[in-house]
Amino acid sequence: MIQLLFLVLVAEAAVAAALLFKTPLRKLAVMGIDRLKRGRRAPVAVKTVAGVVLALLASTLYSMAEISGRAGGDPESGGGGGGGGGSLSPTDQVLFSRHLLEASLMGYSLFLALVIDRLHRYIRELRGLKKNVEAVTKHNKMLEEAKHGRSEETKKYQEEIAALNEDMKKLKLQVQEKTEEVHVAEDKALAIRKQSESLLLEYDRLLEDNQHLREQLQSIDLRLSSSK
């Protein structure tokens, strides 16, 4: 389960990185996301996957809460009378660490999926706005060239040019706002990439702690068997 979540997280980070920078990979990523969103069944499938992940996340959080409640409610869970109330046994510590890692990975995966969806939407909107600006600019040039025609049509052309200039200003403002939103989304995605790298380091540390706890459990089992 953890290996699968790591693969999903790495894949989502790669897609987010491809969307952040203007490279040929961005076009491939946008085309791939477009194909995934096409059809009537695509939204249903996405919602189903998201619901399953949320259900798994809720189950993992419930297991963590149950382990914490077990430690707080059982004073003798520390073993042998030497541990105090509220302390986790080595087995519970391993389970709690595993559940914590799984919950973190699922949360980051859901957040990265949301970031990818927003980035894809902003990129599509920016492309549409740029096409509109180019069309308005071409039309404006045609009107300016035709401005030297008949005197009766000149006033109409001038009014249309003024209206088109206002539309161009509004479109440019929209492009600027969308560009700023994309920059904010890029900063968030970069922050997530840094957090995922730190999470990988934390995973390595947890593996070492897990191995150490297993060795402790084995030594405890050997002592119990020798005492019998």
Side-chain angles (χ1 to χ4, degrees):
M1 181 68 177
I2 293 178
Q3 289 79 4
L4 178 61
L5 289 173
F6 262 109
L7 289 176
V8 172
L9 189 63
V10 171
E12 289 179 341
V15 173
L19 292 175
L20 286 176
F21 304 102
K22 191 175 181 180
T23 59
L25 292 177
R26 173 185 280 185
K27 294 182 179 179
L28 293 176
V30 172
M31 290 175 60
I33 296 173
D34 287 339
R35 290 183 179 179
L36 287 176
K37 289 185 176 181
R38 288 177 184 172
R40 298 179 180 178
R41 298 181 180 179
V44 177
V46 172
K47 290 180 181 179
T48 302
V49 173
V52 171
V53 175
L54 286 175
L56 290 174
L57 179 60
S59 176
T60 303
L61 293 176
Y62 177 78
S63 298
M64 292 171 61
E66 188 177 9
I67 292 173
S68 299
R70 187 192 311 161
D74 187 6
E76 297 180 356
S77 61
S87 62
L88 292 174
S89 65
T91 304
D92 288 338
Q93 289 179 7
V94 173
L95 292 174
F96 189 86
S97 300
R98 184 180 180 85
H99 289 320
L100 178 61
L101 182 59
E102 289 178 351
S104 301
L105 290 174
M106 284 186 281
Y108 282 125
S109 298
L110 290 173
F111 183 76
L112 268 180
L114 180 62
V115 169
I116 290 171
D117 181 69
R118 294 301 179 184
L119 282 174
H120 176 259
R121 182 176 298 178
Y122 291 152
I123 289 171
R124 299 291 295 176
E125 290 178 356
L126 279 175
R127 288 182 177 178
L129 289 173
K130 287 180 180 179
K131 289 180 180 179
N132 291 333
V133 169
E134 291 175 358
V136 170
T137 303
K138 290 180 180 179
H139 191 53
N140 193 9
K141 288 181 179 179
M142 292 174 62
L143 290 176
E144 288 179 353
E145 291 174 357
K147 186 175 63 176
H148 302 288
R150 291 179 295 179
S151 59
E152 292 181 357
E153 296 178 354
T154 301
K155 293 181 180 180
K156 294 181 180 180
Y157 287 145
Q158 288 177 350
E159 291 175 357
E160 291 180 3
I161 289 171
L164 288 172
N165 286 330
E166 292 294 331
D167 292 335
M168 283 183 61
K169 290 180 181 179
K170 292 179 181 179
L171 288 172
K172 287 180 179 179
L173 289 175
Q174 291 179 0
V175 169
Q176 185 177 1
E177 291 176 358
K178 294 298 180 182
T179 303
E180 291 176 357
E181 290 178 357
V182 169
H183 289 330
V184 172
E186 288 176 352
D187 293 336
K188 290 182 180 179
L190 289 174
I192 290 296
R193 287 182 61 191
K194 293 181 181 178
Q195 289 179 358
S196 64
E197 292 175 357
S198 63
L199 192 60
L200 290 174
L201 295 176
E202 181 66 15
Y203 176 64
D204 293 335
R205 187 187 65 80
L206 287 173
L207 287 178
E208 294 177 358
D209 293 339
N210 188 10
Q211 183 64 29
H212 182 65
L213 288 172
R214 287 181 177 177
E215 293 175 357
Q216 288 182 354
L217 287 173
Q218 290 177 357
S219 63
I220 290 172
D221 290 336
L222 289 174
R223 291 177 183 176
L224 291 175
S225 60
S226 63
S227 63
K228 290 180 181 180

